[in-house]
Amino acid sequence: MSAKDPTWISDWNPEDPTFWETRGKVTARRNLIWSIVAEHIGFSVWLIWSIVATKLPAAGFHYTTDELFQLVAIPGLIGSLMRFPYTFAVTTFGGRNWTIFSAAVLFIPTFGLAYFVSQPDTPFWLMLLVASTAGLGGGNFASSMANISFFYPDRMKGWALGLNAAGGNIGVSSVQLITPILMGLGVINLYQATPVSGVYLQNAGLMWVIPLIIAVCGAVFFMNNLTSAKSSFKDQLAIVKRKHTWIMSFIYIGTFGSFIGYSAAFPLLIKTQFPQITIGIAFLGPLVGSLSRPFGGLLADKIGGAIITFWNFIAMAAATIGVIYFVGIKDFTGFLAMFLILFVTTGIGNGSTYRMIPSIFREENLRKARGKGDAGRAMAIKTASIESGAALGFIGAIGACGGYFIPSGFGKSIAVTGGPQLALVIYLGFYAICLAFTWWFYLRRSPAEASATGLAEARI
């Protein structure tokens, strides 16, 4: 601990087995737990509108179907943009400090939602602005993942990052399960508005006030900052020049972008395509996708991230074809089964691709340090840690764009063709490209050991 500030840890070396077993493991686990709590609530706030939008017509809001999908999509866009500054905030302000701030700022979208959903005369542009503030919750993932990556040794990053991400991702399922229930109860009703069709939309925002207070207090009292994670913005910005940053960003749109995009669109997609089915079942998709994510990281730790990602994209493509078929014949059972499989594959792909990122940067930096002795190797490992932490957030930011493009694509597809099939065909083509990229850059064998394609030999 720092003598001046006990919240800062100045001697952190998780790669040392003795340090890890005697001191590191307990501290890392404590920070991981509270990171998950804050990130879980962040995801929940981020996806509030996926449920609220389905209830607005019954509450007297006269928005078109395309406008409802825009309300669902806009938090995804803002969340992806917020991830860029959030990524670099950890190494500037400290992981604990930024967790406190990023959790506290979520009072803005929760109270904003609670007020405006009780005003049926709210114009669409203003409601879109209110919905966009929920994107603040999407930024939490980038800072949380970057922070936790510094706490764990390289051999455990896949599992640790998988748990951290799954704990956040499952917030999507929580909000889609709990929100419809609480909107039917008038126990908490800040503005005493008269419910329409028995729905208290205000509760969708108010339900997160106490959890947010708990998250802020938990970060204040139980989390730490790492001096070893401090880095200048210039040092971190070096990742922008690394081609693997952009390749993995593209691939991550296919995995995480699909997860967050489908999660946001799923309730409204069910309501528009199968109006006789309750949207209460929508939580199952994000739930299975979240639970499968740690196993994607675990499999990647044991087998290799690239090979898991490759076969996972094949499974995603097959499930997408199934969704296209069953939504076309209006068979909800088949539609739900295929979509749940698709959600599982997005979770596995999230875990495996995120495990690839630190491995890639570690391998690339170690190759540059060959022949430079132990000092060169130590510096390479430290540089890889800084770069991979920044890359995790940066890639996560670009990947989150799927949270906007997928719901928006569904809305446009339904408006133009009357169904979501056109959008699904486009997503299917995107998975084919991701599959090709994964093979070409990370699985294709090459005699040129120092080349990018030589990463295949390293079992990235």
Side-chain angles (χ1 to χ4, degrees), residues 4-340:
K4 295 182 179 179
D5 187 348
T7 63
W8 285 87
I9 298 177
S10 57
D11 56 339
W12 189 255
N13 185 18
E15 300 295 344
D16 180 349
T18 302
F19 173 87
W20 178 251
E21 291 298 327
T22 57
R23 296 172 52 198
K25 183 164 58 176
V26 174
T27 300
R29 186 187 302 124
R30 174 164 42 79
N31 278 269
L32 174 61
I33 289 171
W34 285 103
S35 175
I36 289 174
V37 171
E39 190 189 346
H40 178 91
I41 298 172
F43 263 89
S44 298
V45 172
W46 193 17
L47 271 292
I48 284 179
W49 286 88
S50 67
I51 291 295
V52 172
T54 67
K55 302 293 185 180
L56 291 178
F61 291 84
H62 303 292
Y63 301 146
T64 67
T65 298
D66 188 34
E67 287 175 333
L68 292 176
F69 271 106
Q70 289 301 313
L71 289 174
V72 169
I74 194 64
L77 177 62
I78 301 302
S80 66
L81 295 176
M82 293 303 298
R83 287 185 172 196
F84 289 105
Y86 273 51
T87 293
F88 304 110
V90 169
T91 53
T92 302
F93 302 104
R96 167 190 175 272
N97 296 343
W98 192 254
T99 301
I100 295 169
F101 170 80
S102 61
V105 79
L106 297 182
F107 286 111
I108 296 173
T110 52
F111 280 115
L113 182 150
Y115 176 76
F116 284 99
V117 294
S118 66
Q119 312 295 321
D121 58 344
T122 301
F124 174 71
W125 68 266
L126 181 55
M127 192 63 85
L128 193 66
L129 180 62
V130 174
S132 70
T133 63
L136 292 169
N140 289 18
F141 178 85
S143 56
S144 178
M145 295 295 274
N147 182 41
I148 293 304
S149 71
F150 290 109
F151 277 94
Y152 280 83
D154 188 69
R155 69 182 186 280
M156 297 180 66
K157 286 187 190 294
W159 178 244
L161 292 174
L163 281 176
N164 190 54
N169 291 172
I170 208 169
V172 180
S173 183
S174 297
V175 76
Q176 293 183 348
L177 173 63
I178 300 172
T179 305
I181 297 173
L182 291 185
M183 285 196 300
L185 301 175
V187 177
I188 306 174
N189 187 11
L190 183 63
Y191 300 104
Q192 297 300 312
T194 302
V196 179
S197 301
V199 178
Y200 289 85
L201 289 176
Q202 305 94 321
N203 290 353
L206 299 177
M207 62 189 281
W208 299 108
V209 173
I210 293 177
L212 278 173
I213 293 174
I214 293 173
V216 171
C217 291
V220 169
F221 295 109
F222 301 110
M223 292 189 73
N224 302 101
N225 303 303
L226 297 178
T227 56
S228 59
K230 293 284 285 183
S231 177
S232 69
F233 179 73
K234 180 180 179 181
D235 289 340
Q236 297 176 81
L237 204 59
I239 62 167
V240 177
K241 301 176 182 178
R242 309 283 190 263
K243 77 173 184 179
H244 291 291
T245 300
W246 298 101
I247 295 167
M248 289 304 300
S249 294
F250 189 88
I251 292 173
Y252 199 58
I253 294 174
T255 55
F256 179 76
S258 293
F259 171 80
I260 199 65
Y262 289 140
S263 295
F266 200 39
L268 200 53
L269 194 61
I270 291 174
K271 186 175 181 62
T272 57
Q273 301 306 303
F274 303 94
Q276 75 279 12
I277 303 296
T278 174
I279 62 167
I281 202 171
F283 82 95
L284 289 174
L287 177 63
V288 298
S290 301
L291 294 177
S292 63
R293 179 161 187 160
F295 295 100
L298 184 62
L299 287 171
D301 282 340
K302 294 181 177 298
I303 301 172
I307 190 67
I308 297 298
T309 300
F310 177 83
W311 287 105
N312 190 73
F313 274 124
I314 293 177
M316 288 182 72
T320 304
I321 293 172
V323 172
I324 293 172
Y325 173 75
F326 285 110
V327 77
I329 64 173
K330 297 300 178 183
D331 181 337
F332 180 73
T333 301
F335 168 83
L336 180 62
M338 289 296 103
F339 235 121
L340 291 182

